[in-house]
Amino acid sequence: MSRFKGKMQSLKPNINMSGMGKVVFFAVLIMAVLLSFLGMYWSREPDQFDVVAVAKEKAAERGYLNNSKKLAVGYTTASTLHSIVDTLLEKPGGFISNDITPPGVFMDNMPAWEFGVLVQSRDLARAFRKEFSRSQSQSTEDVNLKIAEPQFNFDNKSWALPSSESEYRRGNKELMEYLDRLSSESNNKAQFYARADNLADWLSDVSTRLGSLSQRLSASVIDDKPQLESDENTRYVRTPWSKVDDVFYEARGTSWALIHMLRAVEVDFVFTLQDKNALVSLRQIIRELEATQASIWSPFILNGSGFGVLANHSLVMASYIARANTAVIDLRRLLQQG
């Protein structure tokens, strides 16, 4: 009897361990499911916003909207840049690109989208510092913009000491001070020059970005033909299959940001665009970019070969981006004409 009791006691730890293993298994399973749903929620792209309405709301909150409800020239574009950066920081999940914990560390589509938005924000901030706020090449840089522009160029992968978010918030703070000065009547009033050459210079950067994206999207399509070995200048660089969805979502983020920026430009540069008969060209760019924001019904970004069975998501995106880039080139040509 005592021998039987001893055997039973020796089995108890094994039974307890088996029960503990089940508890750990189900706890891990529940955590994985919860993180998956949280990751899907964080992967939702932000909605588009009305650039004029948001600019007026900012001006009204800060007491700069006069009775005629007219914003200072340049206010809508600067406000749009501020709102775009704010969206990056305050959307569900916040800024995910520098996350080191789940589920952000396992996500790649949203960080790629964020990078596309961030690149356009950096380019526009540089245009504000170099062109929009200066009357000529020998004029002094704006005191706020010369701080804001480097802040937006901070490493997007830094999670601490300092974090990317803190640097971008500082840049947005300086941008808001520029907005305040743009609407004030003080001697320290900020400037915005809505000239054709300024707009053409910024559009040159836009065209370069769109051209690169179009090439990378096209290079994502599966091709059964072997890649020819050639010299460095003529070699066709294919996008790795593991980066296909990243390039696609970077293009989505780029287009999302540009749609808002170009809508704001239409407001602040309206007289310049009318003088150059360029309003139609600008609206054509916006229409092409809006097509890139259509809903994605497939759970995966597919890149079938040629006219094969599978969809070519990257090739469709490349088509819209390339057409938008062509319209940008035409717009620049109109702006540069006398």
Side-chain angles (χ1 to χ4, degrees):
M1 190 69 180
S2 60
R3 185 180 301 172
F4 177 74
K5 289 182 178 179
K7 288 183 177 179
M8 290 298 294
Q9 290 175 353
S10 64
L11 289 173
K12 283 183 179 179
N14 294 331
I15 295 173
N16 291 338
M17 290 299 293
S18 177
M20 182 64 69
K22 290 181 179 179
V23 171
V24 172
F25 171 77
F26 283 110
V28 172
L29 181 62
I30 292 172
M31 183 63 69
V33 171
L34 291 175
L35 288 176
S36 297
F37 278 106
L38 184 61
M40 287 188 288
Y41 175 63
W42 286 5
S43 294
R44 296 179 59 187
E45 298 171 16
D47 295 330
Q48 297 179 32
F49 59 88
D50 187 327
V51 297
V52 175
V54 171
K56 287 184 176 180
E57 183 180 351
K58 278 191 179 73
E61 287 176 355
R62 305 180 79 83
Y64 293 122
L65 197 60
N66 57 31
N67 295 330
S68 61
K69 295 186 177 180
K70 287 185 178 180
L71 297 170
V73 176
Y75 196 97
T76 303
T77 305
S79 167
T80 299
L81 175 57
H82 183 277
S83 297
I84 287 173
V85 175
D86 189 63
T87 300
L88 276 179
L89 300 174
E90 305 301 334
K91 62 180 175 58
F95 189 70
I96 298 173
S97 297
N98 61 346
D99 280 7
I100 59 172
T101 57
V105 69
F106 299 121
M107 298 169 62
D108 61 348
N109 292 344
M110 180 50 68
W113 185 92
E114 290 175 345
F115 185 71
V117 175
L118 186 59
V119 168
Q120 291 305 316
S121 300
R122 289 169 172 172
D123 287 350
L124 185 57
R126 183 171 62 253
F128 264 98
R129 180 183 179 182
K130 288 177 57 183
E131 284 102 17
F132 294 162
S133 63
R134 303 174 66 188
S135 60
Q136 53 186 354
S137 61
Q138 300 301 317
S139 58
T140 305
E141 290 183 320
D142 185 89
V143 293
N144 295 123
L145 295 177
K146 71 179 182 181
I147 299 175
E149 190 256 340
Q151 296 303 120
F152 295 141
N153 282 277
F154 188 76
D155 181 14
N156 66 314
K157 298 291 186 180
S158 178
W159 64 275
L161 301 176
S163 66
S164 304
E165 293 94 324
S166 64
E167 297 301 286
Y168 299 156
R169 285 194 175 93
R170 185 188 175 196
N172 244 13
K173 179 177 177 293
E174 294 293 333
L175 186 58
M176 181 55 74
E177 291 184 12
Y178 169 78
L179 277 166
D180 289 342
R181 291 173 46 240
L182 193 62
S183 297
S184 71
E185 299 297 334
S186 65
N187 294 330
N188 194 30
K189 178 180 172 63
Q191 301 297 325
F192 183 91
Y193 298 95
R195 299 198 312 262
D197 59 330
N198 287 346
L199 182 56
D201 287 343
W202 172 64
L203 288 173
S204 176
D205 290 336
V206 171
S207 179
T208 300
R209 302 293 188 188
L210 292 179
S212 175
L213 276 174
S214 176
Q215 174 61 31
R216 291 163 62 202
L217 286 163
S218 299
S220 298
V221 178
I222 298 171
D223 189 355
D224 295 331
K225 296 179 181 179
Q227 185 170 344
L228 299 177
E229 293 295 333
S230 182
D231 61 83
E232 190 67 26
N233 294 327
T234 60
R235 189 171 57 190
Y236 179 77
V237 180
R238 185 173 299 158
T239 301
W241 68 268
S242 60
K243 299 294 183 182
V244 164
D245 57 338
D246 295 345
V247 176
F248 180 89
Y249 279 99
E250 182 183 339
R252 290 265 291 191
T254 296
S255 301
W256 183 90
L258 280 176
I259 288 169
H260 295 88
M261 293 174 181
L262 291 170
R263 287 173 179 167
V265 161
E266 182 178 352
V267 174
D268 288 326
F269 287 83
V270 61
F271 297 117
T272 300
L273 293 166
Q274 288 175 344
D275 290 342
K276 299 290 185 177
N277 294 318
L279 268 176
V280 174
S281 295
L282 177 68
R283 290 168 182 167
Q284 176 65 26
I285 301 168
I286 295 173
R287 282 196 298 270
E288 296 294 348
L289 293 175
E290 285 174 340
T292 67
Q293 302 301 298
S295 299
I296 303 172
W297 298 107
S298 171
F300 306 103
I301 302 304
L302 303 175
N303 292 277
S305 58
F307 298 105
V309 177
L310 296 180
N312 289 301
H313 290 135
S314 292
L315 202 58
V316 173
M317 179 68 78
S319 174
Y320 289 127
I321 295 292
R323 288 165 61 180
N325 189 27
T326 301
V328 170
I329 294 171
D330 290 341
L331 176 57
R332 287 189 63 231
R333 187 180 300 115
L334 287 173
L335 292 171
Q336 290 169 346
Q337 292 175 354

